[in-house]
Amino acid sequence: MTLGEKIKSERLRQGLSQSELAGDKITRNMLSAIESDKANPSLNTLFYLAERLSVSLSYLFADEVDIPIQKKLLVIDDIKNGFKSKQYASCVEKILNIGFIDDELAYMLSVSYFNLGRDAVFGGSVSDAKNHFEEFAKYSDKTIYSTEVLNTLTLMYSALASNIQSPLLDFDIKSFEEGLRNEFDFEFYKYLIQDTDYPYNNTVFLRHLSAKDMIRQRKYSTAIPLLKSIENEKSTGSYNAYVIFGVYSDLENCYKQLADYENAYRYASKRISLIEAFK
């Protein structure tokens, strides 16, 4: 007898409807999916159902699911600690090693893959980013927990991975704004569309937009030192591939306008090298 069959059998034995057993903790549809073995409940859900049915958790563990669930019990605290400390690659490895995915693990996998994808975009690795976002989409569909904000953010980062030169051509700005109010990512989005009125906390974004304003005013000699100061910080936490690509492009343009073709060529080469590395 499977886990779902045991839950259903015990519910029927006690004369409970699905709605009565589900209570206010889970939905009736979710309970139906669990009973038909179409969904793997989290440990919290199992504890809840065992308490509602007045049976032990060990009773609900069917033979075929006993080993992976026990395996989860042994490592879940370690996984949660790694998840909290943003050790996403380690979390993915440990979760996949368990041998089954419930809604709780699916959620942690989806968040982990999203963050790995975003890091890959900022690090300039397109193929890794696309693979991570595909895994994010797969596991976000398998969890009952909301990943709506991450789904919205993926629009922006996938656009960057697809087209670093003109990412705004690759996603719907209106739907993005409506679906997102995340502090850091929304700030990056405002930088991406060059919103000069936004109160940036990230000084690199603010300085780069200031340099762009100088360029619009044809103050090329003034813009260059500011752009180069940003370039010199590319190894810090404020660096990401899109920012430095824009800095290289702006420096190339400034030097070209000043007829300093040697430096213009140097930054054109850096820009092209970054594009090649990003593929």
Side-chain angles (χ1 to χ4, degrees):
M1 187 180 291
T2 67
L3 173 63
E5 289 171 343
K6 277 200 171 186
I7 292 172
K8 181 177 181 179
S9 175
E10 187 61 28
R11 175 177 63 79
L12 293 175
R13 189 187 70 79
Q14 297 185 29
L16 298 173
S17 68
Q18 287 185 331
S19 296
E20 288 172 331
L21 177 56
D24 57 3
K25 180 75 172 181
I26 61 175
T27 65
R28 189 195 64 78
N29 288 339
M30 185 61 188
L31 177 59
S32 177
I34 292 171
E35 289 187 346
S36 59
D37 294 310
K38 293 180 180 178
N40 291 314
S42 67
L43 284 175
N44 286 337
T45 299
L46 280 175
F47 279 122
Y48 173 75
L49 292 175
E51 182 179 7
R52 298 277 291 179
L53 291 168
S54 299
V55 298
S56 67
L57 192 62
S58 60
Y59 170 79
L60 294 180
F61 285 168
D63 293 339
E64 55 267 45
V65 297
D66 185 48
I67 292 176
I69 289 180
Q70 293 292 346
K71 195 171 184 179
K72 177 182 175 180
L73 284 171
L74 292 173
V75 299
I76 189 62
D77 287 341
D78 190 32
I79 291 172
K80 286 182 176 180
N81 288 334
F83 187 77
K84 289 177 182 178
S85 59
K86 301 182 180 180
Q87 298 173 15
Y88 297 116
S90 176
C91 282
V92 167
E93 181 181 359
K94 290 174 181 176
I95 292 172
L96 294 180
N97 191 46
I98 291 175
F100 88 115
I101 304 297
D102 60 18
D103 47 88
E104 178 184 34
L105 294 176
Y107 175 74
M108 288 194 285
L109 276 176
S110 66
V111 174
S112 295
Y113 275 120
F114 168 79
N115 281 283
L116 290 171
R118 180 171 63 180
D119 290 346
V121 169
F122 284 162
S125 179
V126 168
S127 59
D128 286 345
K130 289 181 177 179
N131 289 337
H132 292 320
F133 287 138
E134 286 176 4
E135 293 300 304
F136 159 74
K138 180 171 74 175
Y139 288 109
S140 66
D141 286 340
K142 294 182 178 181
T143 179
I144 62 172
Y145 301 109
S146 175
T147 58
E148 184 178 352
V149 171
L150 299 186
N151 281 318
T152 303
L153 288 171
T154 301
L155 296 175
M156 177 173 67
Y157 292 119
S158 293
L160 279 167
S162 299
N163 188 353
I164 191 175
Q165 298 184 80
S166 303
L168 295 179
L169 297 177
D170 286 84
F171 76 105
D172 184 345
I173 292 176
K174 183 177 180 181
S175 63
F176 181 83
E177 283 197 348
E178 289 174 351
L180 176 68
R181 286 298 180 269
N182 178 275
E183 184 177 345
F184 168 77
D185 297 282
F186 193 68
E187 182 174 64
F188 177 70
Y189 163 71
K190 286 296 188 180
Y191 161 75
L192 192 66
I193 64 172
Q194 298 183 27
D195 184 346
T196 56
D197 294 326
Y198 188 78
Y200 294 94
N201 292 315
N202 187 309
T203 59
V204 170
F205 296 167
L206 185 61
R207 285 154 57 206
H208 192 192
L209 292 178
S210 296
K212 285 183 174 294
D213 187 54
M214 294 173 189
I215 293 171
R216 282 191 288 270
Q217 298 177 51
R218 300 183 180 181
K219 298 178 180 179
Y220 307 114
S221 297
T222 307
I224 287 174
L226 186 55
L227 291 168
K228 293 188 78 170
S229 72
I230 298 172
E231 180 191 15
N232 292 335
E233 295 176 6
K234 66 183 181 181
S235 61
T236 69
S238 299
Y239 164 79
N240 70 59
Y242 180 75
V243 171
I244 202 61
F245 175 83
V247 169
Y248 286 163
S249 300
D250 290 338
L251 281 167
E252 176 190 356
N253 180 42
C254 286
Y255 281 120
K256 190 180 296 183
Q257 296 298 326
L258 295 173
D260 185 344
Y261 298 112
E262 181 178 352
N263 275 316
Y265 175 79
R266 182 159 65 91
Y267 281 102
S269 299
K270 288 187 175 186
R271 176 178 57 81
I272 293 170
S273 295
L274 186 58
I275 292 175
E276 290 301 314
F278 205 67
K279 291 179 179 177

